[in-house]
Amino acid sequence: MKHTYHIHGMTCNGCRSHVEATLSKVEGVQNASVDLEKANAAIEMKTHIPIEKFQEALKKDGGNYSIHNMGEHHHDSEVKVKEKPKGKGTGTFYCPMHCEGDKTYDKPGDCPVCGMDLVEEQSISSGASHQWTCPMHPEIVRDEAGSCPICGMDLVPMQPDLSAEEKTYKKLLKKFWIAVAFTLPIFLMAMSEMIPNNPLYTLMEQKYWNWVQFALSIPVVFYATWMFFERAYRSIKTWNLNMFTLIGIGAGAAWLFSVFGMFFPDFFPQQFKTESGAVHVYFEAATVILTLVLLGQVLEARAHSKTNSAVKELLKLAPNKAILVKDGKEEEVMIDTIQKGDILRVKPGDKIPVDGIITEGQTTVDESMITGEPIPVNKSMNDKVSSGTINGNQSFLMKAEKVGSDTLLSQIIQMVNNASRSRAPIQKLADTVSGYFVPIVVLVSVITFVVWAIFGPEPVYVYAFVNAIAVLIIACPCALGLATPMSVMVGVGKGAQNGVLIKNAEALEKMDKVDTLIIDKTGTITEGKPTVEKVGAFGTDFSENEVLQYIVSLNKSSEHPLAEATVKYGKEQKIDFLDAKNFSAVTGKGVEGTINGKKVDLGNAKMMEYAKAKLTSEMETEAQAFQKQGKTVSYLSIDSKVAGYVVIGDKIKATSAKAIRELQDKGIAVIMLTGDNHDTAQAVAKELNLADFKAGMLPENKLQEVEKLQNSGKVVAMAGDGINDAPALAKSDVGIAMGTGTDVAIESAMITLVKGDLHGIVKARNLSDDVMKNIKQNLFFALAYNVLGIPIAAGVLFPVFGLLLSPMIAALAMSFSSVSVIMNSLRLRNVKI
């Protein structure tokens, strides 16, 4: 019987093959076939197997995938994500080639699909141990400084343990030197055969030197590089064929051939033997190949640690201590103990410990490490400050608002980690090629052996054997697999250092293709720091002071920037606030409520229409005079009668005009969509030299505009900062949130600009251009290397030039092909965006 089930949690071809292998192992299953696109599994079985058995098998496998009956509703929560251990660079590992999507592992090792060493993720926690120990008595560990209770010596801070990344590198390096120590004598013995009247043979016969080579090769094969054979065996067993499959077959064949030749020399024809009658052995080829592959792994491990250097630099920004002010006293405390609402003192030159607001004093703050902007920013009372930024030359008090993993710095690090593990659509090309790569290489190797055995010169089998091994060794699927993720990882880190936060790799790829940018006005083009310029009354029913009183009383319940501006102005004017009831916001129009039993509405002309309050032509004319200057006018109606208005100004950011011009020069059409009226929008568009704008746009209108442009074949990016922008941000090809905006907007976006500045969009475009160019270079190099290298190893140059590629040279080329892809990716660290 055959049943079809739904599979949840697969993101790539590696996931598909992993699920297929897991389901196939369930007792009673004859065949399991998994379809990635349809997200289902067709399972053939002799007798019915309960779905619970399959669920249990997937759960035991790590719980990253789940199986359900077709059509059955399921939730993401069913696939439980393991809680990641906290700590700097500890506990969470992932495959650098993302063979199984964003799957992570909780211990070091190698990827079950491609066999590469897992890379450790840098944790969002600062990870400082904050513990002290005695240099004489290491068993003494305390949470604070002091003296040793045994010998009285001052305790010293405990040194953090090496990261798993560093441990892997040191372990590989140790094995490499051991391999070199045993391989070098083997290599010299083999090469001595090229010396006339080989002096070694005067000491003892060649067959005895073969035994010496065999003895020296054992530590190389069975200790220093044994992991390659383990990975090769696992890859064949699970049929996840990879680079180590080829190395295992190639080097293993050379070594086993040599051992067999020593024990059973009479089995081989004369052409495999030397003048002394001993079989020609390839211990030097096997050990040199394995040692060079190990060298490649060492270099990769070192280079990998540089690809996530941006995260490490961000982690260094996280301070360990802070000065807590409690009951008028100051005390130094560990960062982990700070609670929301604590008052902290920040001294000149200190790092700001957590996110919060200044409650006393003023200063300048260097925010370059988060925004990428070198000029210090002036900060005074009620201004926000972020963890990791550096205080200038004045002391101030601040109130902690976001601590631990909620701080901006922690969120940036988490976003960079997540984006580094995501897969770009362009990687599908590499996945497709890699799926067929190893079987094709093995087939080419077999064909090479057959062709040389039939048409090659004497000794034909020796030539056939050596060239077949060279083909297996030179092929490098890893260079192809690393081409995209390495560039993405370095690019995402580069963006974070410049205040451009990338949510996933797809955002980078799509941003490169964007030809239309939609921008909001308030908070995107303008500073988003509105100020009240005038309050006016219509008629004699209410004075200007009463109009202001109703406006601020209603707005005190609103979070809109314009509302905050009026409330601030009301406090400055010492207005008495009235009690507002039944408050609610009408999206894209304004707010409403009840004050002193009267129905009060505040907002744009559409809000007045909603409140059934008639605007006269005189009222509109008076408002238009301000709107033509680029100001925003909100009307107030009391019991459905327009009573007055408030004029709010919002300065255009100094960088907006330049940024828009640069984007237009790159061939991107810039369109401004705003909920403001036509006259205000026109005044702003004129100042910025924007030909295309639309005013009076509600959230659904912005969404419709995005859909309309997409239907006409445009690739649309949308930049906004408010809740009303969230639908359009989510619908656009690339949503760009201003970091100064709401959490809803940031959640809906693929790219977040920390500074909330249009110049950040220019940076994001430049970054995506550079990353995509780098990925294409990597893919071209990896493909070209394999397309040229494999035929040369097979011996195509021999008939014309008499050139053959030694398997040892092939191993060197293969090792450096992966390293060169990583090194090319690392060039992104130096690009200027």
Side-chain angles (χ1 to χ4, degrees):
M1 55 173 63
K2 188 175 181 179
H3 293 316
T4 304
Y5 300 98
H6 174 74
I7 304 291
H8 179 65
M10 295 189 299
T11 56
C12 68
N13 208 40
C15 300
R16 182 202 65 75
S17 55
H18 195 82
V19 171
E20 198 167 80
T22 306
L23 295 175
S24 298
K25 289 174 192 168
V26 174
E27 195 179 339
V29 172
Q30 291 179 309
N31 182 45
S33 174
V34 178
D35 189 311
L36 178 64
E37 286 184 19
K38 293 178 183 173
N40 65 28
I43 304 175
E44 290 178 33
M45 52 196 96
K46 290 178 186 175
T47 56
H48 178 69
I49 301 170
I51 191 171
E52 289 76 19
K53 275 206 171 183
F54 298 123
Q55 288 169 342
E56 192 182 337
L58 290 172
K59 196 174 179 182
K60 279 183 181 173
D61 186 56
N64 292 286
Y65 315 104
S66 60
I67 186 167
H68 313 268
N69 289 314
M70 292 300 286
E72 190 179 280
H73 185 66
H74 67 273
H75 301 280
D76 285 358
S77 59
E78 288 174 10
V79 181
K80 288 185 172 65
V81 178
K82 291 174 185 169
E83 183 69 26
K84 291 179 187 174
K86 299 287 180 190
K88 184 177 182 178
T90 56
T92 305
F93 301 83
Y94 63 94
C95 171
M97 283 172 53
H98 313 317
C99 295
E100 296 186 274
D102 56 2
K103 180 176 177 179
T104 56
Y105 305 83
D106 55 10
K107 57 185 176 184
D110 45 74
C111 171
V113 178
C114 71
M116 289 191 73
D117 282 315
L118 298 176
V119 177
E120 188 175 26
E121 181 183 275
Q122 299 301 303
S123 174
I124 60 171
S125 168
S126 63
S129 64
H130 312 317
Q131 290 185 318
W132 303 71
T133 186
C134 172
M136 295 279 289
H137 302 93
E139 69 275 13
I140 301 296
V141 177
R142 295 286 184 268
D143 290 333
E144 53 189 31
S147 58
C148 174
I150 299 172
C151 66
M153 282 186 72
D154 283 333
L155 299 180
V156 296
M158 283 182 77
Q159 292 301 310
D161 194 14
L162 286 174
S163 69
E165 200 174 67
E166 195 64 26
K167 284 178 185 171
T168 300
Y169 171 71
K170 287 187 178 298
K171 184 177 163 189
L172 286 171
L173 192 61
K174 179 188 166 190
K175 286 188 171 185
F176 170 70
W177 289 119
I178 289 169
V180 168
F182 286 97
T183 299
L184 201 56
I186 298 172
F187 180 73
L188 293 173
M189 284 177 216
M191 291 303 105
S192 69
E193 290 176 23
M194 300 169 73
I195 304 170
N197 301 317
N198 190 340
L200 290 179
Y201 294 162
T202 60
L203 297 173
M204 57 183 175
E205 289 179 47
Q206 185 183 3
K207 64 179 179 180
Y208 298 119
W209 283 113
N210 288 352
W211 282 97
V212 173
Q213 288 186 40
F214 168 64
L216 289 170
S217 73
I218 288 172
V220 178
V221 173
F222 291 97
Y223 172 68
T225 64
W226 181 245
M227 58 191 172
F228 298 156
F229 294 101
E230 287 179 329
R231 294 174 188 182
Y233 171 72
R234 198 183 310 131
S235 72
I236 294 167
K237 188 180 169 186
T238 59
W239 209 242
N240 290 315
L241 306 178
N242 53 49
M243 174 180 91
F244 297 102
T245 318
L246 301 175
I247 294 164
I249 295 171
W255 192 82
L256 288 171
F257 172 90
S258 305
V259 173
F260 196 80
M262 282 170 44
F263 283 98
F264 307 103
D266 297 335
F267 178 81
F268 293 91
Q270 195 59 39
Q271 59 180 270
F272 278 99
K273 295 179 180 178
T274 59
E275 289 174 11
S276 65
V279 173
H280 188 87
V281 292
Y282 296 96
F283 288 121
E284 92 287 354
T287 53
V288 170
I289 287 167
L290 291 167
T291 303
L292 288 173
V293 172
L294 187 55
L295 172 64
Q297 295 288 295
V298 170
L299 294 174
E300 271 185 47
R302 178 46 79 221
H304 271 308
S305 68
K306 292 179 183 175
T307 58
N308 58 6
S309 61
V311 176
K312 290 173 185 171
E313 290 302 314
L314 288 168
L315 280 166
K316 286 179 190 173
L317 300 176
N320 294 332
K321 297 174 182 176
I323 298 169
L324 177 68
V325 180
K326 203 170 185 180
D327 302 325
K329 293 180 181 176
E330 294 182 7
E331 63 170 312
E332 194 176 75
V333 295
M334 289 300 172
I335 204 90
D336 300 340
T337 63
I338 295 172
Q339 303 289 321
K340 190 176 174 183
D342 282 352
I343 300 297
L344 309 169
R345 177 170 294 285
V346 183
K347 292 181 177 177
D350 281 0
K351 288 177 182 175
I352 292 167
V354 294
D355 291 3
I357 57 167
I358 295 177
T359 56
E360 187 184 302
Q362 57 184 31
T363 188
T364 56
V365 176
D366 178 4
E367 297 183 335
S368 60
M369 61 291 298
I370 284 178
T371 64
E373 301 296 328
I375 301 165
V377 182
N378 292 319
K379 300 279 183 179
S380 56
M381 204 163 153
N382 293 326
D383 281 346
K384 292 187 175 184
V385 287
S386 297
S387 168
T389 55
I390 299 170
N391 183 24
N393 53 11
Q394 286 179 281
S395 174
F396 66 87
L397 291 179
M398 66 172 284
K399 180 180 171 186
E401 288 197 327
K402 289 183 178 178
V403 298
S405 60
D406 293 330
T407 64
L408 175 64
L409 180 63
S410 294
Q411 288 173 351
I412 289 172
I413 292 165
Q414 185 59 51
M415 196 178 256
V416 171
N417 274 331
N418 292 343
S420 297
R421 288 205 315 269
S422 62
R423 295 165 68 83
I426 197 170
Q427 200 169 338
K428 286 177 184 171
L429 168 67
D431 286 347
T432 305
V433 174
S434 297
Y436 299 103
F437 188 88
V438 175
I440 288 172
V441 170
V442 173
L443 183 64
V444 170
S445 177
V446 171
I447 292 168
T448 301
F449 185 90
V450 171
V451 170
W452 276 92
I454 297 170
F455 302 106
E458 290 294 336
V460 288
Y461 289 111
V462 174
Y463 277 110
F465 184 66
V466 170
N467 290 325
I469 288 175
V471 168
L472 291 173
I473 299 301
I474 201 165
C476 188
C478 281
L480 203 56
L482 288 169
T484 303
M486 287 297 104
S487 298
V488 167
M489 185 183 285
V490 181
V492 164
K494 179 74 178 177
Q497 289 175 320
N498 285 272
V500 179
L501 306 183
I502 311 295
K503 191 178 251 185
N504 53 41
E506 189 180 353
L508 277 172
E509 187 170 335
K510 283 187 174 177
M511 190 65 197
D512 183 52
K513 298 171 184 170
V514 165
D515 53 23
T516 306
L517 172 68
I518 293 174
I519 50 177
D520 179 41
K521 181 178 75 70
T522 308
T524 304
I525 292 174
T526 63
E527 287 186 346
K529 294 178 182 173
T531 52
V532 174
E533 297 192 0
K534 180 175 169 56
V535 176
F538 293 127
T540 56
D541 292 350
F542 297 93
S543 66
E544 285 183 6
N545 256 13
E546 285 175 316
V547 167
L548 178 59
Q549 189 178 36
Y550 274 100
I551 288 170
V552 297
S553 300
L554 187 61
N555 267 341
K556 72 179 178 185
S557 303
S558 173
E559 292 179 355
H560 196 282
L562 299 185
E564 288 174 7
T566 60
V567 170
K568 186 181 174 187
Y569 180 72
K571 286 176 180 173
E572 288 168 0
Q573 300 299 315
K574 296 184 168 51
I575 295 293
D576 292 327
F577 284 68
L578 303 172
D579 189 25
K581 295 175 181 174
N582 306 323
F583 174 86
S584 72
V586 182
T587 309
K589 296 175 183 177
V591 292
E592 60 181 350
T594 308
I595 299 175
N596 289 343
K598 295 182 173 73
K599 184 179 179 297
V600 182
D601 298 88
L602 177 68
N604 54 26
K606 285 181 180 174
M607 188 68 196
M608 294 301 98
E609 199 179 307
Y610 172 85
K612 296 183 174 58
K614 185 170 171 54
L615 281 168
T616 64
S617 57
E618 290 83 6
M619 292 174 183
E620 288 178 333
T621 303
E622 192 172 336
Q624 278 170 3
F626 296 107
Q627 289 166 344
K628 283 177 179 172
Q629 297 170 37
K631 316 290 184 194
T632 299
V633 177
S634 289
Y635 300 101
L636 174 77
S637 78
I638 301 172
D639 284 338
S640 298
K641 186 180 177 185
V642 183
Y645 63 91
V646 59
V647 179
I648 298 169
D650 191 3
K651 270 174 66 182
I652 291 173
K653 289 174 188 169
T655 55
S656 291
K658 186 186 173 198
I660 287 169
R661 191 168 61 250
E662 284 183 38
L663 290 165
Q664 288 169 334
D665 290 345
K666 289 176 181 293
I668 298 171
V670 183
I671 304 167
M672 181 178 76
L673 302 183
T674 176
D676 226 324
N677 68 84
H678 184 273
D679 290 328
T680 304
Q682 190 172 40
V684 171
K686 190 176 178 184
E687 192 172 334
L688 294 172
N689 200 21
L690 268 177
D692 210 345
F693 71 91
K694 287 190 179 179
M697 302 291 281
L698 297 172
E700 55 265 33
N701 302 136
K702 290 182 181 180
L703 180 63
Q704 287 160 6
E705 193 64 26
V706 169
E707 287 174 338
K708 185 177 149 192
L709 287 162
Q710 285 174 328
N711 291 337
S712 67
K714 302 289 184 188
V715 181
V716 182
M718 162 85 188
D721 71 332
I723 292 172
N724 59 335
D725 297 320
L729 282 170
K731 179 65 184 170
S732 62
D733 295 292
V734 182
I736 303 169
M738 299 294 162
T740 48
T742 64
D743 291 343
V744 178
I746 292 168
E747 189 60 38
S748 304
M750 292 173 88
I751 295 174
T752 300
L753 308 177
V754 174
K755 200 181 174 193
D757 185 318
L758 275 182
H759 186 62
I761 301 178
V762 179
K763 288 182 184 176
R765 176 59 178 235
N766 290 340
L767 179 67
S768 75
D769 288 350
D770 288 330
V771 170
M772 291 314 297
K773 199 184 295 174
N774 193 269
I775 287 173
K776 285 166 186 171
Q777 287 167 354
N778 284 347
L779 285 172
F780 173 78
F781 172 80
L783 284 167
Y785 163 82
N786 282 298
V787 167
L788 293 173
I790 292 170
I792 291 170
V796 292
L797 299 180
F798 185 78
V800 182
F801 301 103
L803 291 175
L804 282 176
L805 194 68
S806 159
M808 290 181 279
I809 302 297
L812 189 67
M814 187 276 293
S815 292
F816 279 91
S817 65
S818 291
V819 175
S820 56
V821 163
I822 298 173
M823 298 309 289
N824 186 50
S825 300
L826 286 172
R827 289 193 310 111
L828 285 170
R829 295 194 301 174
N830 303 318
V831 299
K832 290 183 179 177
I833 61 169

